[in-house]
Amino acid sequence: MAGDPGYSPDGTKALDVTGIFAVSCRHIFICPNGVVDFHKGEKYRYADMCFSGALNESYTAGLRYFVITYDIACKYGVNFKSRCCNNKCNFVLIPTAHGEINIIFCVNKFHQESHDDECAAKNALDYTKYVGRTCGEGVETVWAEMNWLRYSTKEMGTGTRIETLSEHFNHWNWQKTLGITRYLRGSYTKAVEALDNAIQELEGIETSIGPETASKLRLEYVTAGGEQFLQDNTQLQWQSRKDLLSMMQNLIPSPSPSGSMSTVARWRDVSHVNLIFKALKLETMQARLCQRAHDLGKIRRPIPTLKNRVKALENEVQLGINSHLELLFQVVPQLEHLRRSANSATDEILLPTRLTSEEILRYDIAGLLQTELLLRACHAYDLITEVKKALALRSWWSRHIGAQPQSQTTKNTRGQSCLQACRARVRETARAYKVCYNWLAETSPETAKRFGLQALVNTDLVLLSTWGERKGYKRPKDRLPWIWTLRPMEASDIIESTYEDVSTAGDNPEDTEGMEVEEDESKADSSRLEDLVENWRSEFVRLDFVHALAATERWTEEVHILTREMPATCRSFRHSALVWAQRANSRSPTTTDGQLVDGDGWFATEPSIRGYIAYASRQFDLYARLTSDAMREFSDVVGKKAWQEIWLSPREQNDPFSK
């Protein structure tokens, strides 16, 4: 018996087959020998048999470079060759006697989101050569049409079930064959437009960072092997607040027994950075609490679970505020008299930006204010990145629900729940940015302007694809939201303390004398924090450049692949037409000199042979029409002159797209 263990009362114990595994090409054609049964769950051995069946035929045909996408490719591909290509085994699944086989494993783009950052970047299709813009999720669409077969095949015999599934898979492939011309034409048009946009985006980044920086980054990208650039852990790591604090602590030596003034100043800087990092995180958490409380108030009858979640977050924020005050008064004891009972949802987190200019001078915390302004600007960049990610997820779920209106009629579906969660994430992150920006702009508007930060309004919360679909670029007043054109400022624009003159001036001669004694040592260490921030920002610029360069390369490959696939499709149709013509001619009655017999000779042939000839002739006519239609469609989309060059261009021996 075959079926889904989830629908069986006894689970897998009552089932002989618990599922099937299929392999498809990038155009979602089910590969020959690419379907196997699962007898007890999804195991490596079933996937090995399925992949080897599809790879053997391609390897025998002369292909040596393969890219396999799988949900767990990061783990599955580690020992794939030793399991399938080891010639010392008694039974080799993929014999490689004719040469080495190169197999690259990547994670499907949708499943990539569930992997951690390092794994996702290392196994991403966006950084893999010769794949174009393949998503790797095409085979999942097969099950939308095939899953219903479980009701009719669950009690069939083994042979009948396999024949039934084979018929349906063949029908799937035939429908793909009939639509491949239209699909390639549409894909080519979209790829050319996307390539133009990617090139413009890359040129915009190169213009903003300057030709020297762009040349340096491009050289690093090429030297590291292009798609291998992000696989280096040192290059891949995005420096979080914890990482920055760790770097600060590594750069600054421990205090010496002598307790010199320079060492004390260094440790004071570390404590300031630690304080501000934790305070900004707490500020974001408080903004999330306010937004959730606001959303909860809009619900007429909220369920107890939602109330408990908001209450738990409120308690967490309250504990965080108490811890922040203790740390603040430990780092800056002169603010002790400002201690007061705090409310988690309404009270402001005590920071230098909450104080007036007179209070900054009175308590001598200009250095702490400068640290907060620097890190607050970087924190704003962090929040903008989170807003972009949330918008991308919101857009994806909106498209997913819009493509399935019949199954998304209620709010209890998984798609609707995920969409609501994404919308809430957008609102919470946007509110956190608004709080961060408001305090930055109120205290030092020059800093916000130099960093390119602006007030975030609801009209800015639009994804690039949505803005492009509504053709906002054609309307002068509908400008692209600034979050998508935000570029980090140059190193020379790193802000200087607004209160620098205050921190270096004083009426007390002894204080002035102490400053002069420390002047040489403080100058040597004055730019430590600025250097760290600049390194963080340089990492942002580098990743932005690498993403744009990789996108340009992938779209270039996609256009190249499609220009190879279009003539290959025509040649495939033409070859099938010639095969059926030969089959018809081989059974047709002929004279002694090889000429076809007309008239009575045709009716003299056996009916079974006449039926064979008629069927072969009809298939020949079908593939001949597919060939002529494909030639005409492709000629229209690329231009007659360009299509003639593509059709007549010889295939280069070393071109990976020529096979």
Side-chain angles (χ1 to χ4, degrees):
M1 183 176 179
D4 187 349
Y7 291 89
S8 175
D10 298 328
T12 59
K13 296 181 180 179
L15 302 175
D16 298 319
V17 177
T18 59
I20 57 177
F21 189 92
V23 175
S24 70
C25 69
R26 104 184 194 108
H27 296 301
I28 327 176
F29 285 84
I30 304 299
C31 298
N33 301 321
V35 181
V36 297
D37 288 332
F38 286 152
H39 294 281
K40 295 297 178 183
E42 186 172 351
K43 299 181 180 180
Y44 280 4
R45 58 186 178 186
Y46 302 130
D48 290 344
M49 290 295 298
C50 198
F51 281 122
S52 61
L55 292 176
N56 264 325
E57 184 174 352
S58 299
Y59 181 82
T60 305
L63 293 178
R64 294 295 181 268
Y65 185 88
F66 301 92
V67 178
I68 294 178
T69 60
Y70 190 20
D71 305 351
I72 53 172
C74 52
K75 299 295 184 183
Y76 174 76
V78 175
N79 298 313
F80 179 81
K81 283 190 175 181
S82 61
R83 295 194 306 267
C84 301
C85 305
N86 189 357
N87 294 324
K88 296 181 181 179
C89 297
N90 295 330
F91 182 79
V92 185
L93 295 177
I94 308 176
T96 55
H98 302 290
E100 182 63 23
I101 184 173
N102 300 314
I103 302 177
I104 306 299
F105 288 87
C106 297
V107 178
N108 310 356
K109 288 188 176 180
F110 178 75
H111 291 82
Q112 178 183 336
E113 298 296 331
S114 60
H115 293 245
D116 56 41
D117 293 339
E118 180 179 352
C119 176
K122 183 178 180 181
N123 300 281
L125 285 165
D126 289 338
Y127 304 106
T128 303
K129 287 185 176 180
Y130 311 135
V131 299
R133 296 296 296 181
T134 304
C135 71
E137 297 287 353
V139 71
E140 302 289 349
T141 62
V142 178
W143 310 124
E145 183 171 330
M146 300 298 175
N147 278 341
W148 67 273
L149 292 175
R150 65 188 178 192
Y151 301 109
S152 59
T153 61
K154 62 181 180 180
E155 295 183 358
M156 288 183 180
T158 303
T160 306
R161 174 179 170 275
I162 292 177
E163 289 181 357
T164 302
L165 293 177
S166 298
E167 287 295 330
H168 282 84
F169 284 130
N170 289 334
H171 174 70
W172 172 275
N173 285 350
W174 177 243
Q175 294 299 321
K176 289 294 179 181
T177 301
L178 296 179
I180 188 65
T181 300
R182 183 175 63 256
Y183 171 79
L184 291 178
R185 171 173 178 154
S187 298
Y188 180 82
T189 303
K190 294 179 181 178
V192 172
E193 295 177 356
L195 177 59
D196 292 338
N197 296 333
I199 293 176
Q200 293 177 6
E201 178 70 14
L202 180 60
E203 291 176 349
I205 295 176
E206 290 179 341
T207 302
S208 63
I209 64 179
E212 295 182 0
T213 305
S215 301
K216 181 180 178 181
L217 291 175
R218 189 182 291 272
L219 179 61
E220 291 181 8
Y221 182 86
V222 175
T223 304
E227 78 283 359
Q228 303 296 327
F229 186 69
L230 287 183
Q231 295 188 19
D232 184 0
N233 293 335
T234 60
Q235 301 284 358
L236 173 66
Q237 184 179 9
W238 180 273
Q239 297 172 353
S240 63
R241 299 175 182 82
K242 183 178 179 181
D243 299 328
L244 286 174
L245 178 60
S246 177
M247 291 177 61
M248 283 286 293
Q249 293 173 342
N250 293 334
L251 289 174
I252 300 175
S254 58
S256 61
S258 59
S260 64
M261 292 295 294
S262 60
T263 304
V264 173
R266 292 191 183 101
W267 279 100
R268 182 185 59 196
D269 290 344
V270 173
S271 62
H272 287 181
V273 171
N274 184 30
L275 172 66
I276 298 303
F277 277 157
K278 293 181 178 180
L280 292 176
K281 182 178 180 181
L282 180 61
E283 183 182 83
T284 302
M285 190 183 304
Q286 188 182 48
R288 187 184 303 116
L289 171 63
C290 295
Q291 184 61 45
R292 291 187 180 181
H294 175 74
D295 294 341
L296 186 65
K298 292 184 177 181
I299 303 177
R300 180 176 301 178
R301 295 179 180 177
I303 59 178
T305 303
L306 296 178
K307 295 182 178 179
N308 294 335
R309 289 178 181 175
V310 174
K311 185 63 178 178
L313 182 59
E314 182 178 355
N315 295 335
E316 186 178 357
V317 173
Q318 185 64 55
L319 293 176
I321 291 178
N322 296 334
S323 300
H324 166 71
L325 292 176
E326 295 297 332
L327 181 60
L328 175 65
F329 300 144
Q330 181 182 354
V331 175
V332 192
Q334 58 267 35
L335 299 179
E336 178 68 30
H337 72 281
L338 297 178
R339 181 189 295 271
R340 62 181 182 275
S341 59
N343 185 280
S344 58
T346 58
D347 282 6
E348 300 170 354
I349 300 174
L350 186 56
L351 282 171
T353 51
R354 270 66 167 180
L355 304 178
T356 63
S357 302
E358 293 76 11
E359 291 174 328
I360 295 294
L361 298 177
R362 184 193 313 163
Y363 299 123
D364 191 21
I365 55 174
L368 182 61
L369 176 62
Q370 179 187 8
T371 302
E372 181 186 352
L373 293 177
L374 282 169
L375 299 182
R376 183 173 288 277
C378 296
H379 182 62
Y381 272 93
D382 232 0
L383 293 174
I384 288 297
T385 303
E386 292 299 323
V387 168
K388 292 179 180 179
K389 292 181 180 179
L391 288 173
L393 285 176
R394 187 186 69 177
S395 175
W396 190 92
W397 281 111
S398 299
R399 293 173 185 273
H400 174 74
I401 293 174
Q404 304 178 23
Q406 297 180 352
S407 62
Q408 304 290 335
T409 55
T410 65
K411 296 183 179 181
N412 298 327
T413 62
R414 182 173 181 269
Q416 292 287 357
S417 300
C418 292
L419 179 59
Q420 293 178 9
C422 293
R423 289 173 176 172
R425 181 180 173 185
V426 171
R427 293 193 298 268
E428 293 173 3
T429 312
R431 183 159 190 159
Y433 171 81
K434 292 177 182 178
V435 173
C436 179
Y437 171 78
N438 289 339
W439 286 112
L440 179 64
E442 181 178 344
T443 306
S444 179
E446 298 82 5
T447 301
K449 183 177 180 181
R450 290 178 182 177
F451 273 85
L453 300 173
Q454 303 178 28
L456 188 65
V457 296
N458 293 333
T459 55
D460 294 327
L461 302 178
V462 178
L463 200 65
L464 280 177
S465 58
T466 306
W467 184 81
E469 288 175 356
R470 71 188 189 191
K471 298 182 179 180
Y473 51 86
K474 292 185 177 180
R475 295 187 290 270
K477 295 183 179 180
D478 193 1
R479 302 297 300 274
L480 181 66
W482 66 269
I483 62 174
W484 301 106
T485 59
L486 178 64
R487 299 293 176 203
M489 67 181 192
E490 300 293 336
S492 58
D493 294 332
I494 291 291
I495 66 167
E496 298 177 357
S497 175
T498 309
Y499 299 92
E500 183 178 2
D501 54 340
V502 177
S503 62
T504 56
D507 297 333
N508 192 342
E510 295 181 359
D511 294 341
T512 306
E513 182 179 358
M515 293 179 184
E516 293 176 353
V517 172
E518 282 188 27
E519 184 175 359
D520 294 337
E521 295 180 354
S522 62
K523 283 184 178 180
D525 300 323
S526 61
S527 61
R528 281 192 319 279
L529 181 59
E530 287 79 359
D531 291 341
L532 270 176
V533 174
E534 176 58 23
N535 290 336
W536 196 12
R537 294 169 52 74
S538 298
E539 180 74 359
F540 183 90
V541 174
R542 190 186 67 82
L543 290 178
D544 199 16
F545 178 81
V546 170
H547 294 166
L549 184 58
T552 304
E553 290 186 352
R554 297 295 83 79
W555 280 117
T556 303
E557 293 172 359
E558 180 71 13
V559 173
H560 197 170
I561 290 173
L562 291 173
T563 55
R564 294 292 187 180
E565 288 177 343
M566 287 189 289
T569 301
C570 296
R571 292 188 177 100
S572 176
F573 289 155
R574 186 180 62 176
H575 173 74
S576 298
L578 294 177
V579 168
W580 284 108
Q582 293 175 0
R583 290 174 179 175
N585 293 336
S586 64
R587 294 296 186 92
S588 299
T590 57
T591 60
T592 55
D593 57 354
Q595 299 295 328
L596 295 178
V597 177
D598 297 330
D600 296 337
W602 165 257
F603 296 101
T605 58
E606 298 179 5
S608 59
I609 297 179
R610 279 186 286 171
Y612 182 93
I613 297 173
Y615 179 79
S617 301
R618 188 185 68 172
Q619 291 297 104
F620 163 76
D621 180 68
L622 173 62
Y623 280 105
R625 283 190 285 112
L626 287 176
T627 304
S628 60
D629 292 344
M631 295 279 285
R632 183 179 65 256
E633 292 284 343
F634 297 151
S635 177
D636 293 340
V637 72
V638 302
K640 294 184 179 180
K641 184 177 180 181
W643 172 248
Q644 186 177 7
E645 295 177 355
I646 294 174
W647 180 259
L648 299 177
S649 61
R651 293 185 293 178
E652 301 177 7
Q653 184 176 1
N654 297 326
D655 188 357
F657 302 105
S658 63
K659 297 182 179 180

